[in-house]
Structure formats: C-alpha cells, structure tokens
Amino acid sequence: MSVYSRIVGTGSYLPPRRLSNADLVAELAAKGVETSDEWIVERTGIGARHFAATGVFSSDLAFEACKQALSAAQLGPQDIDLVIVATSTPDMVFPSTACILQHKLAQLSPQAMGIAGSPAFDVQAVCAGFIYALSVADAMLRAGNAKRALVVGAEVFSRLLDFNDRTTCVLFGDGAGAVVLEASEQPGILATDIHADGKHVGLLCVPGHVQGGEILGDPVLKMDGQGVFKLAVGVLEDTARAVLAKAGLQDSDLDWLVPHQANIRIIQSTAKKLKLSLDKVLLTVADHGNTSAASIPLALDKGVRGGQIQPGQLVMLEGVGGGFAWGSVLLRY
Ligand code: UT7
C-alpha cells in the first residue's frame, strides 16, 4: 500500500470558438439582452469564454485534456487503471462520461486497449467536482485499489445557459482539464477536505429532469448570485483552514493557490484571508470564465505548463458550487 498519491502529468483543452466580452455583448444585444464589457469585467473579472461546437461533448474535451496529461506523464492509456470524470454536463443521462472517455482512449492504438476494464465513473459535485474526484481517487490509490488514475473535470456548461438571462449567461464557458494521479511513496496529496449542505439546493441549480422522453421542469441554470457569493466566501476560507490543519501546515507555507475560477472578487477575498498576494494565485477567470468542474484542472495545467508551479512546492486547490458542495486539496507538486 502506498502512503501517497501524486500528480505526474497535467493537461487541458479549450474548444476553439472563443467569445470575448465584446463578441458576447454584441450577440446578446441582437436578442435584446443588455449587458456590457464594463459590467462583466468589473463584477466578475471575466474577459472571454470558449463554447464547444454543436455535436462536441464533455467526453470530447476530456479526451483532448487526457491525451495531454498522459503525454506529460510519458504514459499511455494502457497504464491507467482508474478513470474518474467530474462533470455536470455528461454526454448522456447514462452511461457515465467516464465510460465514454475510457472507450475513446482505448481506441487510440491496439496497445491503448489495455485501459478497458478499469473502473470508470462520474462524480457530480458541480464546481467542486474536480476536488471531489481528486479526493476519491486519492483515497482509492492510497487504499491500494488502483495504481494510476486519470482524474478529469470536463464541461459544456454553455448547453445549460439561458441566453435571455444576463445574470448568468455571461459567466460560464466550456473546457476540460485532467491529471494523471499515481500511487507513490513520495508526497503527494497531503490532505483533502470535502463538504456539502443540501439545504442550499435552490441557490444554484438546473431544475429540469427527463421523464417519459421529455424534459420536464426548467433545464437551464438558475442562480442566486449574491447568495452564492456570500456562502462561497465563507466556506472557502473554512475549507482552506481545515485542509491546512489536517496536514499540520499554515497559510504562510503555501506556494500556490489554484482556486475555482468563478469570480475574481471571490478569489481576491480568499487570497486576502490566507494572506497570499495575488501573484501566488493561478488565475484563468479572465481568459475563459467559469468552466465549473474543469476550472481548477485548467488553472493547474496553466501553472504547470507556464513553469510557475515547480516540483516540491505546496499547492492548494479549492472549489465551491451547486449543492452546495465545496472542498480543497493540499498537495506537494
Ligand atoms: O461556480 C459556482 C459558483 N458561482 C459563483 O461563485 C457566482 C457567485 N456570484 C457572483 O459572482 C456575483 O454575485 C455575480 C457576478 C453573479 C453578480 O454580481 P453582483 O455584484 O452580485 O451583482 P448583482 O446580482 O447584485 O446585480 C447588480 C446589478 C443588478 O441591477 P440593479 O438591480 O442594481 O439595477 C443586476 O440586474 O447588475 C445587474 N446585472 C447586470 N447588468 C449588466 C446583472 N447581470 C448583469 C449583466 N450586465 N450581465
């Protein structure tokens, strides 16, 4: 049994269609929906987002991110014995996006077929999904139930947006991020901390469901922005303190914060509470907005590929979203 699991490769993918705030503002104006670049930047820090083309699904974005992560780890699909995908926008109601992804990876080459038979499942914790998925993978690897996992956050959140609702449609985008997590004697993930409180279901939800071949209810994203904001700021500080305490470390030990990228003001608030300057925070919110479960691995990959995150550094990942669900992971990169 290994003491730790550690990240040995990262990858990410954004679909090519990029809409700057100006592009989106113009598209919305044509529909009679009024917003502005100034409002979006000032209230959220978002400058652009990427939208997947029709017919492109979460598994397609995940597939591209996984190929990058595997290549960074100098591994192939056949080396993977666990696949976990965090998503709230699965390709189908069932089977899981993880199963679809596993099969796409298996088809890469005759050798890659070795990934078939590995357990593959989705985790649904909305914007905290990647934190949940990484926590589950870490526990399975440390228990000896797998040796190498692909842990993925992948979303086509644009499919859930009501483009007549300016309070939500300017905030979200599509993308995917992935890591290869390996059982190891060397740290590694040091501590994880995940929570949920279902009494807040109505604050952020997509209340539609499928019944008898029809979608009933309202299958678009609903959010009480201010309610989410207030709750997010509080629980993110709590989970940051909890995960540091579990590892016997302090905020001053942190080299990097890789937060969920929903709103620059929430990120600034967390950084301030942890006494971290913003140059110790990986930021992607300006480049592609809130990609839900994909946002943390997208930011992590940016930090790794950009050379900011260096081996041995202490990194905190944290996220919060619908459920309410939230949590954090503390790791030595
Ligand atoms: O990933 C899951 C986690 N999600 C989040 O963390 C989101 C958390 N919430 C937020 O990020 C912010 O609450 C929002 C960005 C959603 C909203 O910012 P806010 O500063 O809380 O704005 P608000 O809801 O208080 O709205 C202020 C004003 C309102 O107008 P009045 O009532 O003051 O006249 C809104 O109607 O801004 C108006 N407004 C807009 N105006 C132009 C709302 N959306 C827009 C828009 N363009 N897109």
Side-chain angles (χ1 to χ4, degrees):
M1 202 185 291
S2 295
V3 182
Y4 297 105
S5 72
R6 60 185 282 266
I7 292 172
V8 294
T10 66
S12 62
Y13 181 76
L14 292 163
R17 184 169 175 239
R18 177 184 181 275
L19 279 93
S20 66
N21 285 347
D23 298 331
L24 186 62
V25 168
E27 280 198 10
L28 293 174
K31 296 158 61 81
V33 176
E34 199 185 316
T35 183
S36 67
D37 175 53
E38 293 72 35
W39 190 95
I40 301 169
V41 170
E42 188 187 312
R43 302 289 177 129
T44 71
I46 296 168
R49 70 287 296 143
H50 289 245
F51 288 161
T54 306
V56 172
F57 296 98
S58 287
S59 69
D60 298 310
L61 308 186
F63 178 62
E64 298 300 330
C66 285
K67 281 194 291 185
Q68 273 194 15
L70 285 166
S71 158
Q74 298 183 304
L75 296 168
Q78 65 280 3
D79 300 311
I80 298 298
D81 57 6
L82 172 64
V83 182
I84 307 181
V85 175
T87 186
S88 301
T89 48
D91 295 21
M92 302 180 187
V93 172
F94 70 80
S96 69
T97 302
C99 284
I100 298 168
L101 170 66
Q102 186 215 53
H103 185 56
K104 285 182 177 165
L105 290 166
Q107 287 176 305
L108 275 172
S109 69
Q111 202 189 10
M113 287 182 70
I115 194 174
S118 65
F121 58 92
D122 289 359
V123 165
Q124 217 279 39
V126 204
C127 303
F130 185 75
I131 298 292
Y132 268 62
L134 203 53
S135 302
V136 171
D138 173 58
M140 289 181 71
L141 264 58
R142 283 190 296 106
N145 289 320
K147 287 195 171 60
R148 280 198 203 101
L150 267 171
V151 187
V152 190
E155 302 280 16
V156 284
F157 242 64
S158 59
R159 310 271 157 84
L160 301 176
L161 300 177
D162 174 358
F163 285 95
N164 290 306
D165 177 7
R166 69 178 183 172
T167 68
T168 54
C169 73
V170 300
L171 305 175
F172 296 90
D174 304 338
V179 302
V180 178
L181 194 70
E182 188 173 78
S184 169
E185 301 299 327
Q186 186 194 332
I189 291 180
L190 303 174
T192 64
D193 182 65
I194 53 174
H195 301 272
D197 187 347
K199 77 167 173 270
H200 301 296
V201 163
L203 271 188
L204 175 51
C205 59
V206 177
H209 61 280
V210 177
Q211 187 177 317
E214 287 180 38
I215 296 170
L216 302 184
D218 203 348
V220 289
L221 187 142
K222 311 280 179 196
M223 179 168 74
D224 167 359
Q226 285 196 3
V228 170
F229 194 105
K230 282 184 202 138
L231 218 54
V233 167
V235 298
L236 287 173
E237 181 181 11
D238 293 346
T239 187
R241 302 247 170 259
V243 82
L244 282 165
K246 284 182 190 183
L249 294 166
Q250 300 184 354
D251 46 18
S252 54
D253 295 317
L254 284 173
D255 292 301
W256 291 103
L257 176 66
V258 185
H260 173 47
Q261 312 277 327
N263 187 316
I264 189 70
R265 292 183 291 140
I266 296 177
I267 296 171
Q268 284 165 338
S269 153
T270 308
K272 195 171 166 194
K273 287 174 174 169
L274 296 176
K275 298 192 246 10
L276 270 183
S277 68
L278 266 194
D279 57 6
K280 292 284 180 191
V281 182
L282 261 301
L283 295 173
T284 59
V285 62
D287 305 328
H288 45 82
N290 184 348
T291 54
S292 192
S295 96
I296 293 169
L298 268 161
L300 179 67
D301 186 48
K302 181 186 172 182
V304 169
R305 279 173 200 272
Q308 289 113 309
I309 298 180
Q310 290 292 319
Q313 288 189 322
L314 188 67
V315 181
M316 182 188 287
L317 318 180
E318 63 165 19
V320 58
F324 234 58
W326 67 95
S328 54
V329 172
L330 190 67
L331 60 92
R332 280 254 169 244
Y333 182 71

